[in-house]
Amino acid sequence: MSKVAILVACYNRKAMTLRLLARLRDATSGWADHDFSVFLVDDKSPDGTGDAVRSAFPAVTVIEGTGNLFWNRGMCVAYAAAAARGPWSHYLLINDDLDLFPEEF
């Protein structure tokens, strides 16, 4: 079985981030031979992104940022959190404005 750590960094894009996670769930649901785990860094979003993700997707590991990480450092924090819980076969880095289509995943 392949273990895949999916890394996401976000800031203040609650609706977009929730949509990404829903599409990611749908796109990966048919992959029985893969274990997917999502590590999301919320960089102190004032719109409540982190709490919304925790509520809608309890399996997602939400890591609170400092508010000064931006995308690059946020992804580094997500990677460090995932690496600490590995080992992983693969890492998938995605942005929250990405559109996923299950038939293409």
Side-chain angles (χ1 to χ4, degrees):
M1 173 173 295
S2 292
K3 290 183 60 171
V4 181
I6 301 172
L7 312 181
V8 184
C10 67
Y11 176 77
N12 212 34
R13 299 199 301 189
K14 179 169 48 177
M16 190 175 293
T17 302
L18 292 172
R19 187 185 80 213
L20 168 75
L21 293 172
R23 289 191 172 183
L24 186 59
R25 178 197 57 217
D26 296 345
T28 59
S29 66
W31 292 59
D33 58 341
H34 289 69
D35 177 20
F36 295 95
S37 296
V38 178
F39 296 84
L40 180 136
V41 173
D42 174 46
D43 201 20
K44 287 200 176 205
S45 298
D47 69 352
T49 301
D51 290 336
V53 169
R54 284 184 194 90
S55 177
F57 299 95
V60 171
T61 300
V62 178
I63 303 130
E64 292 295 325
T66 62
N68 295 308
L69 295 175
F70 302 97
W71 188 84
N72 185 40
R73 293 302 304 159
M75 293 305 268
C76 290
V77 170
Y79 175 79
R85 293 194 27 208
W88 303 97
S89 306
H90 309 283
Y91 289 89
L92 175 62
L93 285 68
I94 58 176
N95 202 20
D96 60 359
D97 62 358
L98 182 68
D99 278 330
L100 294 174
F101 301 95
E103 63 276 5
E104 297 176 1
F105 197 76

